[in-house]
Amino acid sequence: MARLALEAISQEEDAAASIGIKRHPAQARVTVISALMTCLGGALYAQYQLYVNPETVSGIGVSLQMVFGAIAGGMFVRLGPTVGAVFTLLLAEVLRLALGHDIHGLDTTLYGLMLVLFIIFMPKGILGAATEGWNSQRAKPATAPA
């Protein structure tokens, strides 16, 4: 029920208020949950890095990595951003380990190129394409042997 209330608020606040949905408590709940998750993620990241400065936490690279992760996994699928984050982090680390010492910056260039191609050829992301393939397989009628 809370999900539907939040969807109603995001679509049309006045209409949601007219059917009795209280906007401020719902938005406050979402903000608190988001802040708690951000706090937990930040604390774990700081422990992993052992040193945190503004560039490593909120630089352009970090922002783009989050956006690319969401796009690669599938923005409109529930677990899409999570799958995309795992995929993009693994891709970046594999490229960095395989190519990072030969030519400086080649791993980052290939990472960007692969993500652009990924966005062009799989606009619905990994899970979006997998769900679409799964649904098309289930929709095909079974053919009788001749």
Side-chain angles (χ1 to χ4, degrees), residues 71-72 74 116-130:
I71 292 170
V116 168
L117 292 174
F118 195 84
I119 291 168
I120 291 170
F121 293 110
M122 290 181 73
K124 292 184 179 180
I126 295 170
L127 286 184

Side-chain angles (χ1 to χ4, degrees), residues 102-116:
D102 296 338
I103 301 173
H104 184 69
L106 181 62
D107 58 330
T108 309
T109 304
L110 287 177
Y111 173 69
L113 178 65
M114 288 177 76
L115 283 173
V116 168

Side-chain angles (χ1 to χ4, degrees), residues 33-145:
I33 291 170
S34 175
L36 288 173
M37 292 175 68
T38 303
C39 179
L40 177 64
L44 292 174
Y45 184 73
Q47 289 297 315
Y48 174 71
Q49 290 291 359
L50 298 178
Y51 173 74
V52 180
N53 66 12
E55 182 60 33
T56 62
V57 176
S58 60
I60 188 73
V62 175
S63 299
L64 289 176
Q65 198 172 28
M66 285 187 251
V67 171
F68 288 151
I71 292 170
M75 291 186 298
F76 302 109
V77 183
R78 184 174 293 213
L79 290 176
T82 304
V83 170
V86 169
F87 172 77
T88 56
L89 286 174
L90 287 175
L91 176 65
E93 287 301 311
V94 166
L95 288 174
R96 185 182 61 81
L97 290 173
L99 305 171
H101 300 292
D102 296 338
I103 301 173
H104 184 69
L106 181 62
D107 58 330
T108 309
T109 304
L110 287 177
Y111 173 69
L113 178 65
M114 288 177 76
L115 283 173
V116 168
L117 292 174
F118 195 84
I119 291 168
I120 291 170
F121 293 110
M122 290 181 73
K124 292 184 179 180
I126 295 170
L127 286 184
T131 303
E132 195 173 86
W134 174 261
N135 289 339
S136 68
Q137 286 292 337
R138 289 180 52 200
K140 287 183 182 177
T143 57

